[in-house]
Amino acid sequence: MRILFALLGSLSLGLGVLGAFLPVLPTTPFVLLSAFLFGKSSPRVHSWLLHHPWFGGMIQDWQQCRGLRPRVRRRALLLMSASFAFSIYMVPLWWVKIGLVLTYIALLVWFLRLPLLPDRPAVAMKQPRP
C-alpha cells in the first residue's frame, strides 16, 4: 500500500505543479492530496512538502485548521475565476458552457465556505545594537 500511496502522491504532486501553469488544472487540491498520500507512504517527502516555501504554509494551514489565509483565498479565487472564464469563452458547445458554469458555482460555494485564518504576523527584523 505504501508504494501505491507514493505513486499516487507523485502523480498528484505532478498534477499540482502542472496546475500552476495550466489554466484549468487546480493546484491546491492536488498538493493537499499529495501531502495526505505522502503522509501515509513517505515521512521524508511529507516533511519536505510541509517545509516547502511554496506549498508548506498552505498544507500546514489545511492540516491544522482546515482553512485558508486571505492571501491564498484571493489568489485561488482569481485564478479559478480566470480559468473558468477562459474555458467558458473557448468552448463552442452551449451545454458544456452550462456545465462549466454550474461546476464553477458549486466550487465557488464550497470554496467560500472554507474558514478564513488570520494572516500570519510579519517577521520583524532584528535591529542592530548601537
Side-chain angles (χ1 to χ4, degrees), residues 87-107:
S87 300
I88 291 166
Y89 174 74
M90 293 300 292
V91 172
L93 303 170
W94 64 269
W95 58 273
V96 175
K97 289 181 187 230
I98 291 172
L100 284 169
V101 168
L102 294 175
T103 303
Y104 174 71
I105 291 170
L107 184 60

Side-chain angles (χ1 to χ4, degrees), residues 5 8 15 28 39 42 46 55 62 67-68 87 98 104 110 125 130:
F5 283 146
L8 291 173
L15 289 172
T28 304
S42 173
H46 184 257
F55 308 129
W62 183 256
L68 302 169
S87 300
I98 291 172
Y104 174 71
W110 171 80
M125 295 182 63

